[in-house]
């Protein structure tokens, strides 16, 4: 079965600083990978998804970017964080459409 | 396009009482349906899923859901809740291509 590792678990960063969140997947190959964000009081918003190495699709315009340098590695980045980037970031993986997603444990980002 | 509506943002209930969390969806194509649970500061865990076949689906932790195609609903039920069921619950729909759309979430609070 799949396992998703996300780190760090919590992060406090000043406005204007860079960001790098990493997600790695074990137990499968060629997964579709996703980055979601939960802002306070809101549901899950899909930020990026990737169907393969180097292939990134952005769902919403924003201050963030994503990269997939390896099959089972998905990175979320920002050059300069904004206060509005605060939230709970979740990485997810999907192998088959009818299996749903497997989620990582998330990263709580607070921009101050 | 597909969408998911969770009709209740918060549901308070006493321990050992039954509970129903409501979910309606809209889609122009066949879909798969899912319920996820999220405990505080954790990722999402799959509770159950409907792919095809029997419209009554049983999941983990004593939860079940019934797919009603005519009413486009997929309500989650449990006959007797425990304190440990306190969490946020997300309904989600996936088309055959696998893109998952989540509802806004329902916070279930079980009181002693």
């Amino acid at each position: 079965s799949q396992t998703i590792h996300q780190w760090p678990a919590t992060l406090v960063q000043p406005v204007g600083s860079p960001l790098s969140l990493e997600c790695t997947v074990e137990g499968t190959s060629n997964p579709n990978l996703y980055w979601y964000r939960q802002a306070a009081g809101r549901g899950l918003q899909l930020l990026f998804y990737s169907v393969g190495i180097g292939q990134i699709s952005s769902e919403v315009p924003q201050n963030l970017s994503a990269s997939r340098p390896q099959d089972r590695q998905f990175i979320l980045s920002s050059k300069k964080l904004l206060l509005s980037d605060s939230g709970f970031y979740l990485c997810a993986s999907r192998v088959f459409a009818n299996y749903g997603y497997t989620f990582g444990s998330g990263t709580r980002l607070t921009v101050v | 396009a597909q969408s998911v509506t969770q009709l209740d943002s918060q549901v308070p209930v006493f321990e050992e009482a039954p509970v129903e969390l409501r979910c309606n969806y809209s889609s122009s194509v066949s879909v798969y349906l899912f319920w996820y649970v999220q405990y505080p500061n954790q990722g999402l865990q799959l509770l159950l899923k409907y792919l095809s076949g029997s419209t009554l689906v049983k999941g983990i932790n004593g939860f079940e859901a019934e797919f009603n195609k005519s009413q486009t609903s997929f309500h989650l039920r449990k006959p007797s809740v425990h304190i440990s069921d306190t969490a946020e619950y997300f309904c989600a729909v996936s088309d055959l291509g696998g893109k998952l759309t989540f509802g806004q979430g329902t916070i279930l609070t079980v009181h002693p």
Side-chain angles (χ1 to χ4, degrees), chain B residues 4-33:
Chain B
V4 180
T5 302
Q6 290 182 243
L7 299 165
D8 306 294
S9 59
Q10 297 193 48
V11 174
V13 64
F14 287 107
E15 193 173 19
E16 298 184 5
V19 71
E20 178 180 82
L21 306 184
R22 297 180 293 170
C23 172
N24 287 91
Y25 71 94
S26 67
S27 177
S28 57
V29 298
S30 298
V31 295
Y32 304 126
L33 295 159

CSV table of all heavy atoms in Angstrom, one decimal, chain B residues 4-33:
chain,number,residue,atom,x,y,z
B,4,VAL,N,-19.7,19.3,-5.2
B,4,VAL,CA,-20.2,18.6,-4.0
B,4,VAL,C,-20.7,19.6,-3.0
B,4,VAL,O,-20.0,20.6,-2.7
B,4,VAL,CB,-19.1,17.8,-3.4
B,4,VAL,CG1,-19.6,17.0,-2.1
B,4,VAL,CG2,-18.6,16.8,-4.4
B,5,THR,N,-21.8,19.4,-2.4
B,5,THR,CA,-22.4,20.3,-1.3
B,5,THR,C,-22.6,19.5,-0.1
B,5,THR,O,-23.3,18.5,-0.1
B,5,THR,CB,-23.7,20.9,-1.8
B,5,THR,OG1,-23.5,21.6,-3.0
B,5,THR,CG2,-24.2,21.8,-0.7
B,6,GLN,N,-21.9,19.9,1.0
B,6,GLN,CA,-22.2,19.3,2.3
B,6,GLN,C,-23.1,20.3,3.0
B,6,GLN,O,-22.7,21.4,3.3
B,6,GLN,CB,-20.9,19.0,3.1
B,6,GLN,CG,-20.1,17.9,2.4
B,6,GLN,CD,-18.8,17.6,3.2
B,6,GLN,OE1,-17.7,17.7,2.6
B,6,GLN,NE2,-19.0,17.1,4.4
B,7,LEU,N,-24.3,19.8,3.4
B,7,LEU,CA,-25.3,20.7,3.8
B,7,LEU,C,-25.2,21.3,5.2
B,7,LEU,O,-25.8,22.3,5.5
B,7,LEU,CB,-26.7,20.0,3.7
B,7,LEU,CG,-27.0,19.5,2.2
B,7,LEU,CD1,-28.1,18.5,2.2
B,7,LEU,CD2,-27.3,20.7,1.4
B,8,ASP,N,-24.4,20.6,6.0
B,8,ASP,CA,-24.2,21.1,7.4
B,8,ASP,C,-22.7,21.3,7.6
B,8,ASP,O,-21.9,20.5,7.4
B,8,ASP,CB,-24.7,20.0,8.4
B,8,ASP,CG,-26.1,19.6,8.1
B,8,ASP,OD1,-27.0,20.5,8.3
B,8,ASP,OD2,-26.3,18.5,7.7
B,9,SER,N,-22.4,22.6,8.1
B,9,SER,CA,-21.0,22.8,8.3
B,9,SER,C,-20.5,22.3,9.7
B,9,SER,O,-19.4,21.9,9.9
B,9,SER,CB,-20.7,24.3,8.3
B,9,SER,OG,-21.5,25.0,9.2
B,10,GLN,N,-21.5,22.2,10.6
B,10,GLN,CA,-21.2,21.7,12.0
B,10,GLN,C,-22.4,20.8,12.4
B,10,GLN,O,-23.5,21.2,12.2
B,10,GLN,CB,-20.9,22.8,13.0
B,10,GLN,CG,-19.7,23.6,12.6
B,10,GLN,CD,-19.3,24.5,13.8
B,10,GLN,OE1,-19.2,24.0,14.9
B,10,GLN,NE2,-19.1,25.8,13.5
B,11,VAL,N,-22.1,19.7,13.0
B,11,VAL,CA,-23.1,18.8,13.6
B,11,VAL,C,-22.7,18.4,15.0
B,11,VAL,O,-21.7,17.6,15.2
B,11,VAL,CB,-23.3,17.5,12.7
B,11,VAL,CG1,-24.2,16.5,13.4
B,11,VAL,CG2,-23.8,17.9,11.3
B,12,PRO,N,-23.4,18.9,16.0
B,12,PRO,CA,-23.1,18.5,17.4
B,12,PRO,C,-24.1,17.3,17.7
B,12,PRO,O,-25.2,17.3,17.3
B,12,PRO,CB,-23.5,19.7,18.2
B,12,PRO,CG,-24.5,20.4,17.4
B,12,PRO,CD,-24.3,20.1,16.0
B,13,VAL,N,-23.6,16.4,18.5
B,13,VAL,CA,-24.4,15.2,18.8
B,13,VAL,C,-23.9,14.6,20.1
B,13,VAL,O,-22.7,14.8,20.4
B,13,VAL,CB,-24.3,14.1,17.7
B,13,VAL,CG1,-22.9,13.6,17.5
B,13,VAL,CG2,-25.3,13.1,17.9
B,14,PHE,N,-24.7,14.0,20.9
B,14,PHE,CA,-24.3,13.3,22.1
B,14,PHE,C,-23.8,11.9,21.8
B,14,PHE,O,-24.2,11.3,20.9
B,14,PHE,CB,-25.4,13.3,23.1
B,14,PHE,CG,-25.7,14.6,23.7
B,14,PHE,CD1,-26.9,15.3,23.4
B,14,PHE,CD2,-24.9,15.2,24.6
B,14,PHE,CE1,-27.2,16.6,23.9
B,14,PHE,CE2,-25.1,16.5,25.2
B,14,PHE,CZ,-26.3,17.1,24.8
B,15,GLU,N,-22.9,11.5,22.7
B,15,GLU,CA,-22.3,10.2,22.6
B,15,GLU,C,-23.4,9.1,22.6
B,15,GLU,O,-24.4,9.2,23.3
B,15,GLU,CB,-21.4,9.9,23.7
B,15,GLU,CG,-20.5,8.7,23.6
B,15,GLU,CD,-19.4,8.6,24.7
B,15,GLU,OE1,-19.6,9.2,25.7
B,15,GLU,OE2,-18.4,7.9,24.5
B,16,GLU,N,-23.3,8.1,21.8
B,16,GLU,CA,-24.2,6.9,21.6
B,16,GLU,C,-25.4,7.3,20.8
B,16,GLU,O,-26.3,6.4,20.5
B,16,GLU,CB,-24.6,6.3,22.9
B,16,GLU,CG,-23.4,5.7,23.6
B,16,GLU,CD,-23.8,5.0,24.9
B,16,GLU,OE1,-25.0,4.9,25.2
B,16,GLU,OE2,-22.9,4.5,25.7
B,17,ALA,N,-25.6,8.5,20.4
B,17,ALA,CA,-26.7,8.9,19.5
B,17,ALA,C,-26.4,8.6,18.0
B,17,ALA,O,-25.2,8.5,17.7
B,17,ALA,CB,-27.0,10.4,19.7
B,18,PRO,N,-27.4,8.4,17.2
B,18,PRO,CA,-27.1,8.3,15.8
B,18,PRO,C,-26.8,9.6,15.1
B,18,PRO,O,-27.1,10.7,15.6
B,18,PRO,CB,-28.4,7.7,15.2
B,18,PRO,CG,-29.5,8.3,16.1
B,18,PRO,CD,-28.8,8.4,17.5
B,19,VAL,N,-26.1,9.5,14.0
B,19,VAL,CA,-25.7,10.7,13.3
B,19,VAL,C,-25.8,10.5,11.8
B,19,VAL,O,-25.6,9.4,11.3
B,19,VAL,CB,-24.3,11.2,13.6
B,19,VAL,CG1,-23.2,10.3,13.0
B,19,VAL,CG2,-24.1,12.6,13.1
B,20,GLU,N,-26.2,11.6,11.0
B,20,GLU,CA,-26.2,11.6,9.6
B,20,GLU,C,-25.5,12.8,9.1
B,20,GLU,O,-25.9,13.9,9.5
B,20,GLU,CB,-27.6,11.5,9.0
B,20,GLU,CG,-27.7,11.5,7.5
B,20,GLU,CD,-29.0,11.4,6.9
B,20,GLU,OE1,-29.7,12.5,6.9
B,20,GLU,OE2,-29.4,10.3,6.5
B,21,LEU,N,-24.5,12.7,8.3
B,21,LEU,CA,-23.9,13.8,7.6
B,21,LEU,C,-24.3,13.8,6.2
B,21,LEU,O,-24.1,12.8,5.5
B,21,LEU,CB,-22.3,13.7,7.8
B,21,LEU,CG,-21.8,13.5,9.2
B,21,LEU,CD1,-20.3,13.5,9.2
B,21,LEU,CD2,-22.3,14.6,10.1
B,22,ARG,N,-24.8,15.0,5.7
B,22,ARG,CA,-25.4,15.0,4.4
B,22,ARG,C,-24.5,15.5,3.3
B,22,ARG,O,-23.7,16.4,3.5
B,22,ARG,CB,-26.7,15.9,4.4
B,22,ARG,CG,-27.8,15.3,5.4
B,22,ARG,CD,-29.0,16.2,5.4
B,22,ARG,NE,-28.7,17.5,6.0
B,22,ARG,CZ,-29.5,18.6,5.9
B,22,ARG,NH1,-30.7,18.5,5.3
B,22,ARG,NH2,-29.2,19.7,6.5
B,23,CYS,N,-24.6,14.9,2.1
B,23,CYS,CA,-23.8,15.2,1.0
B,23,CYS,C,-24.6,15.1,-0.3
B,23,CYS,O,-25.2,14.0,-0.5
B,23,CYS,CB,-22.6,14.3,0.9
B,23,CYS,SG,-21.6,14.4,-0.6
B,24,ASN,N,-24.6,16.1,-1.1
B,24,ASN,CA,-25.3,16.1,-2.4
B,24,ASN,C,-24.2,16.4,-3.4
B,24,ASN,O,-23.3,17.2,-3.2
B,24,ASN,CB,-26.4,17.0,-2.5
B,24,ASN,CG,-27.6,16.5,-1.7
B,24,ASN,OD1,-27.8,16.8,-0.5
B,24,ASN,ND2,-28.5,15.7,-2.4
B,25,TYR,N,-24.3,15.9,-4.6
B,25,TYR,CA,-23.4,16.1,-5.6
B,25,TYR,C,-24.1,16.4,-7.0
B,25,TYR,O,-25.3,16.1,-7.1
B,25,TYR,CB,-22.4,14.9,-5.8
B,25,TYR,CG,-23.1,13.7,-6.5
B,25,TYR,CD1,-23.0,13.5,-7.8
B,25,TYR,CD2,-23.8,12.8,-5.7
B,25,TYR,CE1,-23.7,12.5,-8.4
B,25,TYR,CE2,-24.5,11.7,-6.2
B,25,TYR,CZ,-24.4,11.6,-7.6
B,25,TYR,OH,-25.0,10.5,-8.2
B,26,SER,N,-23.3,17.0,-7.9
B,26,SER,CA,-23.8,17.2,-9.2
B,26,SER,C,-22.7,16.8,-10.2
B,26,SER,O,-21.6,17.2,-10.0
B,26,SER,CB,-24.3,18.6,-9.4
B,26,SER,OG,-23.2,19.5,-9.4
B,27,SER,N,-23.1,16.1,-11.2
B,27,SER,CA,-22.2,15.7,-12.2
B,27,SER,C,-22.9,15.3,-13.5
B,27,SER,O,-24.0,14.7,-13.4
B,27,SER,CB,-21.3,14.6,-11.7
B,27,SER,OG,-20.4,14.2,-12.8
B,28,SER,N,-22.4,15.6,-14.6
B,28,SER,CA,-23.0,15.2,-15.9
B,28,SER,C,-22.6,13.8,-16.3
B,28,SER,O,-23.1,13.3,-17.3
B,28,SER,CB,-22.7,16.2,-17.0
B,28,SER,OG,-21.3,16.3,-17.1
B,29,VAL,N,-21.7,13.2,-15.6
B,29,VAL,CA,-21.2,11.9,-16.0
B,29,VAL,C,-21.2,10.9,-14.8
B,29,VAL,O,-21.5,11.4,-13.7
B,29,VAL,CB,-19.7,11.9,-16.5
B,29,VAL,CG1,-19.7,12.8,-17.8
B,29,VAL,CG2,-18.8,12.5,-15.5
B,30,SER,N,-20.9,9.7,-15.0
B,30,SER,CA,-20.8,8.7,-13.9
B,30,SER,C,-19.7,9.1,-13.0
B,30,SER,O,-18.6,9.6,-13.4
B,30,SER,CB,-20.6,7.3,-14.4
B,30,SER,OG,-21.7,6.9,-15.2
B,31,VAL,N,-19.9,8.9,-11.7
B,31,VAL,CA,-18.9,9.3,-10.7
B,31,VAL,C,-18.6,8.2,-9.7
B,31,VAL,O,-19.4,7.3,-9.5
B,31,VAL,CB,-19.3,10.6,-10.0
B,31,VAL,CG1,-19.4,11.7,-10.9
B,31,VAL,CG2,-20.6,10.3,-9.2
B,32,TYR,N,-17.5,8.3,-9.0
B,32,TYR,CA,-17.2,7.6,-7.8
B,32,TYR,C,-17.4,8.5,-6.7
B,32,TYR,O,-17.1,9.7,-6.8
B,32,TYR,CB,-15.8,7.1,-7.9
B,32,TYR,CG,-15.4,6.2,-9.1
B,32,TYR,CD1,-14.3,6.5,-9.8
B,32,TYR,CD2,-16.2,5.1,-9.4
B,32,TYR,CE1,-14.0,5.8,-10.9
B,32,TYR,CE2,-15.8,4.3,-10.5
B,32,TYR,CZ,-14.7,4.6,-11.3
B,32,TYR,OH,-14.4,3.9,-12.3
B,33,LEU,N,-17.8,8.0,-5.5
B,33,LEU,CA,-18.1,8.8,-4.4
B,33,LEU,C,-17.3,8.3,-3.2
B,33,LEU,O,-17.1,7.1,-3.0
B,33,LEU,CB,-19.6,8.8,-4.0
B,33,LEU,CG,-20.5,9.4,-5.1
B,33,LEU,CD1,-21.9,8.9,-5.0
B,33,LEU,CD2,-20.4,10.9,-5.0
